[in-house]
Each structure stands twice: as C-alpha cells, then as structure tokens.
Amino acid sequence: MDTLDNWGRWGADDELGTLNLITPEARARGAAEARTGRAVSLALPIEPTPLLSGPFARLTEDASPVQQIMAYTGSPASATADLMLVTNHHPRSTHLDALGHQVRDGQVYPGRPLGEAVTMGGVRHGSTTAFAAGIVTRGVFLDLAADGPVPGGHGVTGEDLDAAEERQGVRLESGDALVVRFGWSASPDPARPMPGMSLDAVRWMHERGVSVYAGDIADAHPPLVPGVPGPVHAVALPGLGLPLVDAAELTELTAVCAELGRWAFLFTAAPPRIHGLTGVPVNPLAIF
Amino acid sequence: MDTLDNWGRWGADDELGTLNLITPEARARGAAEARTGRAVSLALPIEPTPLLSGPFARLTEDASPVQQIMAYTGSPASATADLMLVTNHHPRSTHLDALGHQVRDGQVYPGRPLGEAVTMGGVRHGSTTAFAAGIVTRGVFLDLAADGPVPGGHGVTGEDLDAAEERQGVRLESGDALVVRFGWSASPDPARPMPGMSLDAVRWMHERGVSVYAGDIADAHPPLVPGVPGPVHAVALPGLGLPLVDAAELTELTAVCAELGRWAFLFTAAPPRIHGLTGVPVNPLAIF
Amino acid sequence: MDTLDNWGRWGADDELGTLNLITPEARARGAAEARTGRAVSLALPIEPTPLLSGPFARLTEDASPVQQIMAYTGSPASATADLMLVTNHHPRSTHLDALGHQVRDGQVYPGRPLGEAVTMGGVRHGSTTAFAAGIVTRGVFLDLAADGPVPGGHGVTGEDLDAAEERQGVRLESGDALVVRFGWSASPDPARPMPGMSLDAVRWMHERGVSVYAGDIADAHPPLVPGVPGPVHAVALPGLGLPLVDAAELTELTAVCAELGRWAFLFTAAPPRIHGLTGVPVNPLAIF
Amino acid sequence: MDTLDNWGRWGADDELGTLNLITPEARARGAAEARTGRAVSLALPIEPTPLLSGPFARLTEDASPVQQIMAYTGSPASATADLMLVTNHHPRSTHLDALGHQVRDGQVYPGRPLGEAVTMGGVRHGSTTAFAAGIVTRGVFLDLAADGPVPGGHGVTGEDLDAAEERQGVRLESGDALVVRFGWSASPDPARPMPGMSLDAVRWMHERGVSVYAGDIADAHPPLVPGVPGPVHAVALPGLGLPLVDAAELTELTAVCAELGRWAFLFTAAPPRIHGLTGVPVNPLAIF
C-alpha cells in the first residue's frame, strides 16, 4: 500500500494531485485527437425536482441531485429566473470529487489535518478550486463491458485493463484521463452486488499515470472486501490525489467509439468555476 | 426589426435556436484550432458564501451566486460532503442564459405561450436541456478594448465589430461562437453607465450567423435607449434564439491570444447536464 | 358578494383585517377560559426530510413541508446545528395564510395593487408581519363531524354552523377564533371529493365577526362550484381580510373538549416572528 | 458539578428534561395569571433577506436568520407563495435550543451517544420533538437591568437573582419559566465583552426548578472563564436538560410589567411542530 501514495510527491501544499501529470505533451496528445469536432457528453441528464413541494408540486419524488424553484419575477413576468439546490455527491449525478472529499486518518491529501483543510464555511485545501481552469487532456476509453456488463461482485484488476487495451488497440499514457465502462445503469438495484475496481487496478492507474478517472462505476457496492471502503474512493482519491468523475454516462460514447473505430479523444471536464466545494456536477466531453 | 427574427426558421418546436448553425463544418473548423491543447477558462471564479449564517459564519456577506453548506457526515467524519444553492442568473457568475429566460409579448422562442413553456415545476420549452451535449464549435475573439475599455454609454455597432476583425485579421463565420471583450470588470460601479451592444450589432450577429455570444458585457446598464430593454437580452435571445454567456472573464484570454497571435480557438461550453432550468453556471473553455 | 367585503373598513393601509375584531373584550373572554393551563396543540407534526439526498439519504421521499440538513460543526462535533428549508404553503403543514397570499383582480387586501404589495424580495403589504405579536383571543370549536366525517362534496352552510353551536351549547362572539372540524385526515385520497365551506358559511363568519379561521379543511377540493375557487381562500381571505390556519389537527382537541364538556378556550397562534412572508408554519394552542 | 446533573432523573429515555417540572400545579399557576388576555411577544422581529441574490436582489446583505424566495405562481399570478431557508441557531433569531444541540463527552442528554442520537438525516433523540405540544406554564420575569445594562464581563450569580426577586416582590417556583433581562441589544458590538450567567446561577436554576430559560443573554461572550464554554449552553442544556430560548426580546415586556406592576404571567412557547431539529425559531408570549 505504501507505494500507492503521492503524499509529498508534488509538495506539501499541492492541491492538483495527479492533474500534475497533465503535461504539455499530454495536452497536445489530446488536441491531436480533436479532428471533426464531434462531441459526446459523458454526463447523465438530470431532471430537477421542484423545491417547492405541496400544493404547487408533486407530493412524492425520486430524490434528484438538483432541486429547482422558479422565482417570482413580476406579474405578468417579462423574464424567468430560477434557483437550484444541488447535492454535490449523488449517485445519479455525474460529478467530480475534489481531493478533500475523503479523509484518511484524520487528514486529506497530501497530509493536511481535516480541521485545517475543512471548515464550517467550506473547504480550504483540496477543494474544487483545483478544477478552476478545466481539465483538458487525452482521454482513453476502456470498455470492460464489450461482451456484457461486468459481473456483480467482480473486482477489476490491472490485467483486465491490460486486456481491454490490447483488445481495443489503444494504450493509456501518463497524464491521460481513464474512462471505464462496467456496463451498469446509473440506478442499479441496491440489493444486487455491483462490481468495482480492485486495489490492484488502483495500482495499475498509479503506475500508468492516470490523471483523472471517469467511470459508470468506480467502487463496488457493497465493498469487495467486506468492511473495507472501496479503493478508488479510499485509496486513489486521498492517497494518490486522483480526482474522480463519479457516475459517468457512457452509452453514447460506446456507440460513437464503435462507429469510428477510435478509443481516444480530447477529454474536457470543465465544471462551473466554484471554489471551496467537496465536489461539483460536471459534463465531461469526449471530442473526436 | 422583422428581419431580426428566427421564429419558425427551424420549426415551431425548435429549442436550439442559433445552435442549429453549428454544422459539422463549424465543428471541424473548431477542432482544427485545437493544436497544443492549451486551455483558457472564460469563467469568473466564484467564492461561495456559507449558507449557514450567524454564529457559525460571518454576519455580513457580499451576495455570492453560490451558497454552500458543509454537511454533517458523522463524528469524527470519514468523508466530507456539501450542498450548494445557486442563483442561476447573477452578475458575478459566468452563466448560460437559456432561450426561455426572456419573454416577448407573453411568448418565448420560437412563439410558445409563456404559460405552456414555463410552469411552477420548471421550464418545459426553451430550457437548459438544449445544452445537454455541450456547445462545441470554433470561437472567435473580438477585443474591443485593445486600446482601453469601451467608453460608458457607447453602443457597439456592426462597424465596430468589422473593425475589430480587420485589426485582428480574423473573420467570424456562420456557426462560430462570438467572444467579445469590452474591458470592464465584473463588478462595475452600479452608478457608472456601462457600454453595451446596440441593435445594429445584434443585426450583425444575425447576418453573420453567430451561434452563441460570450462577453464580459452584453447589454448596457442603464439601457442605451432609455426605457428600452437591451437588444441582446430582449431581441437576440428571444427573437433570434441566440444563447448567451453572461459575465465571461476574458483577461487571461486576452493575454494568451496576444502571446500566441491567434484569435480563434476551439470553443467549448459544457454546463452541468441539468434539464429544465432558465440558466446555468458554465465554465467555457478556449482550447488552442 | 358586495357585502362580503371589508376593503376600506379599517382604512386603506390596514394589514390586520379581521384581527381588528380582537378587542380587549375578546381577549378577556379568552383569558377567562384559561383555568387549568392544560394545552392542546392544533398542529400536525412535521417530519422533515433530509435536504441532502443521495448516498447520504433515502432516494425516494414523501415531499415534506420541511427539509433539513445537519451541518458540519467540526470533527469531532461539540455541538449540533441545522438548517431547514420550509415550503410555507403545504397541505400537510399547519400554517397561517397571510392576507397577501391571495390576489383578487390584481389586488390584495384591502385593494393594494399586486405589483406594489409583492416584490421579488418579499411581501411589502399583507404579509406575516401582521402576526408579529401573536394572535390571542377566545377560541370556539364547532365539531361538524360529531356523527362522522362531513360527506365529500358537501358545502357547509351557516345553518350547519348554527346547528353545531346549538348542539354544543356554545356561541361564537365577535372577535373569537373559529375552529372547525370536518373529520377528514390531513392526507385524503386526492381522487375523492372533499367537503368545504360554502359562500353562505363565509357570510356567516362575516356576520358573526370571526377573527381567524382554523380548520382541518377550509375549501373543498375540487371546488364546490366547478371552476370557481373556494370561498374561504378566494373570498374570505382577500375580501374580508380573514387570516386562515390551514390544515389544523383537531383529533386531540375533540377528545379533550368531550372530556371536559367545554367548547371554548384561550386560543393562541404565535408563529415565528418573521416579516414579509406569504404564510408561515404555526402551532396554535387551545388552553383550557 | 456533580449535583448539576439530571441524567437519569427522569429515566434513560427522557427527552423532556426540565419540562418534566411543568406539573398541573405549575400550569394552573400560569393560567391564573391570564386575566385580561393582553399578550406581549418575546421574539425579535426577523426581516428575511432574499434567497435570490444578484440582479433580482441586493448585492450585500446582513446575514438574516431567514432567507426567502417568492415563487413563480403563473403569469399573471392569482396567488403568491414562498419558501424560506432558516438557520435554526442564529444570534438575531429568537429560538428554542433542543436538548441535543449540545454534546458533552460525546453524549447528549441524558447520556445518549452522539452517533446514535444524531444522524445525517436529523436528530433522533433530544430534538425539537419535545416541544410538539408547546410549553405552557407560569413565567417569572427578573429584570437585572432595572438600573441599566448588566456590565460587560459580569457573571450573574444566584444572589443577583435572589435580589431581583426581592426587589420585584416575586418568587420563582418549581416548573416556572425564567425570563431574564440583561439589557443588551440583540446585536452587540462583537468586540465588547458581554455579561452572562455564571455556574452559580445555573445551580440556582437547578435548585429552584426552572423549567425553561429565556433571556436576552444566556452565556457571556467571550466566556467568563477563558476557554471554558458558557455554563448555560455547556452545563444547563446538556446536563440539566434545560431548554433555552436564545435571544429573547424583552423591551416591550419590561414596559408592560412596569405599567401593570406585575412580574408573572402565563408563558407560552409553541414553535412550529417540526420534529428532529436541533433548534427552532419561536415566538414566546407573555399573556397577562
């Protein structure tokens, strides 16, 4: 486990983690993939639910990541306006986890005490501030579900990822974004065990130099090792400083990659430029 | 004014407006500009204010577009989480206005009655749903402030835009995003008259085929014609169906364009994929 | 209908409406009913739902009038704190409707134009400010459901109210609060027609001098006269200036009145002293 | 300190704390004080600030305990509605602290582990559920500021309270609500030391059987004993199980008591009947 650690690698004040791996070379590699400008969103659509419940709205709701309220703007109205309330970490919202989202032994990456990094007024170290300029690099898509969904309870290994690369004829290089499909829907049956990344796969990401992870799944639920939190959230995020895109939607990407016979693209993830959050909704694009 | 109208041009059910102008050619033109992958954010940074006021936070605040609350996640906490409350239209937030944001004679683009397009539960026609896949095209930056901020009260004309093109040696083509700098800060003195686009400039945008507008300013405040709402919000948005990026931050873009001697780039605007809103925060990128 | 109108009765600036009827005599009549200090709440209990949805809460909810979020207060926590989001008008929340809640011909009681009385920043005339000092008077309980719930679709008349008085041996006097039980639960089957007050009953309230109305039901749903909004909300509130307690819970009150053989009590309704709202949750008490 | 403890006094499951002292005798004593029905609110008025900031509202605000948003209800609007966001603990909001608001050695009254009593979804033990039926008892007002505000930094003692009783000719009995005026405004200069209750005064409350405390001040700020949290919040609330009304407004009460020559009244505190909160805004009444 000791090798699965980037604490100190980029200094004690670092807030970028593995985004440091996105060198000019990685960016240029990404730009070279943008040829036709065709773009695919990797985000789940979100239908907000009305913030105003009761006589003015439905009485029972699926809890949405976003609640919306239409504002009074005069009568009659010459413009419309609204306000939204966003749950930044939600299983049906494609969102970026900031490095301060996970705590390891009372500390956040790369070793800051929780009490100093996080206050009642927001995150002071390891927040979404790191995403201010957007993430732009080459993206590589490994489709683990080419022959059907990854079976429930399976822990994906580095070997599985190697095999996907070989099958697709693509190779992830240091600084690339790793996009992975397990082939599971965003709202699986909570009673049915999901697959997830194993610690071995996290080691693979570390050795290869993954800069950011985006998957329809990251960690299994329930955990692969009973009682041990999943390695992507509990090891890669706080230990490697690896930002995560949770709950990516990869159905359209799969179809387009198959159509084009290409598994690499320009990857962009530019969430609203809001500082100090633990996470933020994002609409990552694959641009071909 | 009758020529400044796209109602019906793409059908009675259209929700894309001038985004229809982003053809495969426009996209390819954009992709061709992505060479090094260097990216510049066109968004203002947002510092959230604490949603929880009082003993647990400051007592007086600048109203931020975003209010944040850190959630209780157990004691001690093994993860951090938060929730944010977002004012979708805010002068200090870089955001995309959806077509249903403006009402013209009781209707929204392209002629839907307000009562049908907008409900207490959200926008049903002309919402942010149109931005689900992101906006990807070529961006052209016209810097009207090369010799200092545009004077307060000035109405920018088509001639001004032509002159900027000529000065910079660039030409906006149909389907391009138009990025314009007036050289004003995001929080101008409210008592000092701002410049803005004139109706003539909106006509220029229409004739040229601008797909999306992003500026540090769009309409003047107070209105150039006393009592008449600004033409970008009151004519271009509801009449042309032209989506707007309000409050773009263009300082870094200006420096990078000058450094590179380039005024065109791959433009991306991919806000969180949230349906049914009147507007949404966005972090547009210029990728070189 | 012209007689069902108090516009101008207490001046053009009045914001109290029928609360003006609570004279020192009415208050003293109320105080005289407080003998043992036994108190009964007339409010439905509200179970808040978590504001933070998703991994940290249930995925499907009955929409509650109140959403709550527990705030991060350090790790470990030495105190707990929270924030709540309240839908002020909700069918499962016992709340006081302010006079500005209903609009009649573009005006609110007693004839103020809506555009002047109500702004995007809150209610300027006819708000909950009128309840700042609490409502304290005699309460009279008329139980229309002594022999079972009032039948669906029935429009309660003045004669029905007279009969209840006679049956119970009590008489409402000017300035008293009228508490009425239809015997329906707070969450009736929305498909099943409810009973409600008829216009005749509103006339009775006007003639008798009811100062405030509290019922488990006020208006029928669907309206008794198809297409015509219910007379309590559409006539009594904006026309008489009669504040309403919507969704009172009267089960315990019924039992205690029967036990004591008393149908009058000291009535208090003291909602949080918040100005400028259209309505506010309240916990009215009957003190014997 | 060991005597300042009610843990176990009313059982291990108790959630009422000193509200258990409100016996039928105490209630009857309260009812006997209600003679004319004249009522005085003990709550500070709250002016909500608009939840929607930016172009639709002011840009800088005093943080209010309540934020309000006026909801779109159609165009034109036939009714008005709103939603409010409430900070339950706020120095300018008169509110009731629930027993679970304070943690002592990882436990809340009367010895429940924090992790069991408090969850991300709300408070399960020691919440505002205890106030569901309202608090109704005799109130006794001790005015410590008859000759001017209590000096900053002074720790009020039991002797001070005895002296006030003697001066006013009133005596608090077991089960009564204690209302205390220090004579300080709700928004004192944060740099100027406030007075507060000493541990000795908390012992007095314990011995006398105070059921609920309401004061313009409870604990001093900064703490009377440097580094030691104030005894009302840190000892009386979690140890005695004594509910607190924070930030009572006592100016009008002082005038009315002086006018009537009476220092006792029927005390009611009936906050909205919302379960599971750590605190709740309240409008306590003194009824004469």
Side-chain angles (χ1 to χ4, degrees):
Chain A
M1 177 93 86
D2 48 308
T3 63
L4 282 175
D5 204 322
N6 284 326
W7 289 22
R9 180 174 175 186
W10 295 291
D13 291 336
D14 180 55
E15 304 202 51
L16 293 176
T18 53
L19 298 182
N20 284 294
L21 300 172
I22 304 179
T23 57
E25 291 68 33
R27 289 178 174 276
R29 206 161 55 233
E33 299 287 353
R35 300 171 201 165
T36 64
R38 180 170 178 181
V40 175
S41 163
L42 310 188
L44 291 164
I46 295 173
E47 295 291 343
T49 51
L51 191 51
L52 198 65
S53 59
F56 303 103
R58 287 164 291 173
L59 285 178
T60 299
E61 301 285 2
D62 272 3
S64 168
V66 176
Q67 295 187 75
Q68 173 194 22
I69 181 167
M70 297 297 296
Y72 177 82
T73 50
S75 173
S78 63
T80 64
D82 53 3
L83 185 146
M84 65 176 172
L85 189 61
V86 182
T87 296
N88 285 321
H89 301 277
H90 190 285
R92 288 198 298 263
S93 168
T94 306
H95 62 276
L96 257 169
D97 282 357
L99 299 186
H101 173 50
Q102 294 291 330
V103 184
R104 198 175 80 175
D105 300 332
Q107 295 174 306
V108 301
Y109 171 90
R112 287 292 177 95
L114 177 61
E116 176 196 305
V118 173
T119 73
M120 284 178 275
V123 182
R124 302 290 170 246
H125 184 92
S127 81
T128 52
T129 306
F131 311 137
I135 301 172
V136 177
T137 189
R138 189 175 74 138
V140 169
F141 177 36
L142 299 185
D143 185 2
L144 304 179
D147 299 322
V150 176
H154 178 67
V156 168
T157 62
E159 213 168 288
D160 292 333
L161 298 170
D162 283 331
E165 283 190 336
E166 195 157 334
R167 190 168 59 241
Q168 300 176 192
V170 69
R171 186 177 166 85
L172 183 136
E173 299 182 49
S174 176
D176 285 351
L178 172 61
V179 182
V180 175
R181 186 170 83 109
F182 284 72
W184 283 59
S185 83
S187 296
D189 178 354
R192 194 175 142 223
M194 293 164 60
M197 288 288 166
S198 70
L199 191 61
D200 184 68
V202 170
R203 184 168 291 115
W204 187 95
M205 295 180 209
H206 184 39
E207 289 167 1
R208 282 298 192 82
V210 170
S211 58
V212 57
Y213 176 90
D216 55 353
I217 289 179
D219 285 309
H221 183 80
L224 297 171
V225 183
V228 177
V232 181
H233 284 81
V235 176
L237 186 79
L240 300 183
L242 180 70
L244 306 173
V245 175
D246 263 340
E249 161 59 55
L250 303 173
T251 309
E252 188 186 353
L253 181 67
T254 305
V256 171
C257 284
E259 176 193 336
L260 302 179
R262 290 177 54 188
W263 307 91
F265 37 80
L266 176 60
F267 174 91
T268 67
R273 192 172 183 168
I274 307 171
H275 292 184
L277 304 176
T278 67
V280 62
V282 69
N283 191 347
L285 299 182
I287 305 178
F288 291 88
Chain B
M1 177 92 89
D2 49 307
T3 63
L4 282 174
D5 204 322
N6 284 327
W7 290 21
R9 180 174 176 186
W10 295 290
D13 291 336
D14 181 55
E15 303 202 53
L16 292 177
T18 52
L19 299 182
N20 283 294
L21 301 172
I22 304 178
T23 58
E25 290 69 33
R27 289 178 174 276
R29 205 160 56 231
E33 298 287 352
R35 299 171 201 165
T36 64
R38 180 171 178 180
V40 175
S41 163
L42 310 187
L44 291 164
I46 296 173
E47 295 290 344
T49 51
L51 191 51
L52 197 66
S53 59
F56 303 102
R58 287 165 291 174
L59 285 178
T60 299
E61 300 285 2
D62 272 4
S64 168
V66 176
Q67 295 187 75
Q68 172 194 22
I69 180 166
M70 297 297 295
Y72 177 81
T73 51
S75 173
S78 63
T80 64
D82 53 4
L83 186 147
M84 65 176 173
L85 188 61
V86 181
T87 295
N88 286 321
H89 301 278
H90 191 284
R92 288 198 297 263
S93 168
T94 306
H95 61 276
L96 256 168
D97 282 357
L99 298 186
H101 173 51
Q102 293 290 331
V103 184
R104 196 174 82 174
D105 301 330
Q107 296 174 304
V108 301
Y109 171 90
R112 287 290 178 95
L114 177 61
E116 177 195 305
V118 173
T119 74
M120 284 178 274
V123 182
R124 302 289 169 246
H125 185 93
S127 81
T128 51
T129 306
F131 310 138
I135 301 172
V136 177
T137 189
R138 189 175 76 138
V140 169
F141 176 37
L142 298 185
D143 185 3
L144 304 179
D147 299 321
V150 176
H154 177 68
V156 167
T157 62
E159 213 167 289
D160 291 332
L161 298 170
D162 283 332
E165 282 190 335
E166 196 158 335
R167 189 169 59 240
Q168 299 176 194
V170 69
R171 185 177 168 83
L172 183 135
E173 299 182 50
S174 176
D176 285 350
L178 172 61
V179 183
V180 175
R181 187 171 83 109
F182 283 72
W184 283 59
S185 84
S187 297
D189 176 354
R192 193 173 142 225
M194 292 163 59
M197 288 288 165
S198 71
L199 191 60
D200 183 69
V202 170
R203 183 169 292 113
W204 187 95
M205 295 180 210
H206 183 40
E207 290 168 0
R208 282 299 191 82
V210 170
S211 58
V212 58
Y213 176 90
D216 54 353
I217 290 179
D219 284 309
H221 182 81
L224 296 172
V225 183
V228 176
V232 181
H233 283 83
V235 176
L237 186 79
L240 301 183
L242 179 71
L244 306 174
V245 175
D246 263 340
E249 161 59 55
L250 304 173
T251 309
E252 187 185 353
L253 181 66
T254 304
V256 171
C257 284
E259 175 193 336
L260 302 179
R262 292 176 54 188
W263 307 91
F265 37 80
L266 175 60
F267 174 91
T268 66
R273 193 173 183 167
I274 306 171
H275 292 184
L277 305 176
T278 68
V280 63
V282 69
N283 191 347
L285 299 182
I287 305 178
F288 292 87
Chain C
M1 176 95 87
D2 49 307
T3 63
L4 283 175
D5 204 322
N6 284 327
W7 290 21
R9 180 174 175 185
W10 295 290
D13 292 335
D14 181 54
E15 303 201 53
L16 292 177
T18 52
L19 298 182
N20 283 293
L21 300 172
I22 304 178
T23 57
E25 290 70 34
R27 290 177 174 275
R29 206 161 55 232
E33 298 287 353
R35 299 171 201 165
T36 64
R38 181 171 177 179
V40 174
S41 162
L42 310 187
L44 291 164
I46 296 173
E47 294 290 345
T49 52
L51 191 51
L52 197 65
S53 60
F56 303 103
R58 287 164 290 172
L59 285 176
T60 301
E61 299 286 1
D62 272 5
S64 168
V66 177
Q67 296 187 75
Q68 172 194 22
I69 181 166
M70 297 297 297
Y72 177 81
T73 50
S75 175
S78 63
T80 65
D82 52 5
L83 185 147
M84 65 176 174
L85 188 61
V86 181
T87 296
N88 286 321
H89 300 277
H90 190 284
R92 288 198 299 263
S93 168
T94 305
H95 62 275
L96 256 169
D97 283 358
L99 299 185
H101 173 51
Q102 294 291 329
V103 184
R104 197 174 82 175
D105 302 330
Q107 296 174 304
V108 301
Y109 172 90
R112 287 291 178 94
L114 177 61
E116 176 195 306
V118 174
T119 74
M120 284 178 275
V123 182
R124 301 289 170 249
H125 185 92
S127 80
T128 51
T129 306
F131 310 138
I135 301 172
V136 177
T137 188
R138 190 174 75 139
V140 169
F141 176 37
L142 299 186
D143 185 3
L144 304 179
D147 299 321
V150 176
H154 177 68
V156 167
T157 62
E159 213 167 290
D160 291 332
L161 298 170
D162 283 332
E165 282 190 335
E166 196 158 334
R167 191 169 57 243
Q168 300 175 195
V170 70
R171 185 177 168 86
L172 183 136
E173 298 182 50
S174 175
D176 284 352
L178 172 61
V179 182
V180 175
R181 187 170 84 107
F182 284 72
W184 284 59
S185 84
S187 297
D189 177 356
R192 193 174 143 224
M194 292 162 61
M197 288 289 165
S198 69
L199 191 60
D200 184 68
V202 170
R203 183 169 291 114
W204 187 95
M205 295 181 210
H206 184 40
E207 290 167 1
R208 281 300 190 81
V210 170
S211 58
V212 57
Y213 176 90
D216 54 354
I217 290 180
D219 284 310
H221 182 81
L224 296 172
V225 182
V228 176
V232 180
H233 283 82
V235 176
L237 186 78
L240 300 183
L242 180 70
L244 306 173
V245 175
D246 263 341
E249 161 59 55
L250 304 173
T251 310
E252 187 186 353
L253 181 66
T254 305
V256 171
C257 284
E259 175 193 336
L260 301 179
R262 292 176 54 188
W263 307 91
F265 37 80
L266 175 61
F267 175 92
T268 66
R273 193 172 181 168
I274 307 171
H275 293 184
L277 305 176
T278 68
V280 63
V282 68
N283 191 347
L285 299 183
I287 304 178
F288 291 88
Chain D
M1 178 94 87
D2 49 306
T3 63
L4 283 174
D5 204 321
N6 284 326
W7 290 22
R9 180 174 175 185
W10 295 290
D13 292 336
D14 180 55
E15 304 201 52
L16 292 177
T18 52
L19 299 181
N20 283 293
L21 300 172
I22 304 179
T23 57
E25 290 69 35
R27 289 177 174 277
R29 207 160 54 232
E33 299 287 353
R35 300 170 199 165
T36 64
R38 180 170 178 180
V40 174
S41 162
L42 309 188
L44 291 164
I46 296 173
E47 295 290 344
T49 51
L51 191 51
L52 198 65
S53 58
F56 302 103
R58 288 164 290 173
L59 285 177
T60 299
E61 300 287 1
D62 272 3
S64 168
V66 176
Q67 295 187 75
Q68 172 194 22
I69 180 165
M70 297 297 296
Y72 177 80
T73 50
S75 174
S78 63
T80 64
D82 53 3
L83 185 147
M84 64 176 173
L85 189 61
V86 181
T87 296
N88 286 320
H89 300 278
H90 191 285
R92 288 198 298 262
S93 169
T94 306
H95 62 277
L96 255 168
D97 283 357
L99 299 186
H101 173 50
Q102 295 290 330
V103 184
R104 197 174 82 174
D105 301 330
Q107 296 174 304
V108 301
Y109 172 89
R112 287 289 178 95
L114 177 62
E116 176 194 306
V118 174
T119 75
M120 283 178 274
V123 182
R124 301 289 170 248
H125 185 93
S127 81
T128 51
T129 306
F131 311 137
I135 300 172
V136 177
T137 189
R138 189 175 74 137
V140 168
F141 176 37
L142 299 186
D143 185 3
L144 304 179
D147 300 320
V150 176
H154 178 67
V156 167
T157 61
E159 213 166 289
D160 291 333
L161 298 170
D162 282 332
E165 282 191 335
E166 195 158 335
R167 190 168 59 242
Q168 299 176 196
V170 70
R171 185 177 168 86
L172 184 135
E173 299 182 49
S174 175
D176 285 350
L178 172 61
V179 182
V180 175
R181 187 170 84 107
F182 284 73
W184 283 59
S185 83
S187 298
D189 177 354
R192 192 173 143 226
M194 293 162 60
M197 288 289 166
S198 69
L199 190 61
D200 184 68
V202 170
R203 183 169 292 114
W204 186 96
M205 295 181 210
H206 184 40
E207 290 168 0
R208 282 298 191 83
V210 170
S211 58
V212 56
Y213 176 91
D216 54 354
I217 289 180
D219 284 309
H221 183 79
L224 296 172
V225 183
V228 176
V232 180
H233 283 83
V235 176
L237 187 79
L240 301 183
L242 179 71
L244 306 174
V245 175
D246 263 341
E249 161 59 55
L250 304 173
T251 310
E252 187 186 354
L253 181 67
T254 305
V256 171
C257 284
E259 175 193 337
L260 302 180
R262 292 177 53 189
W263 307 91
F265 37 80
L266 175 60
F267 175 91
T268 67
R273 193 173 181 168
I274 307 171
H275 291 185
L277 305 176
T278 67
V280 63
V282 68
N283 191 347
L285 299 182
I287 305 178
F288 292 88

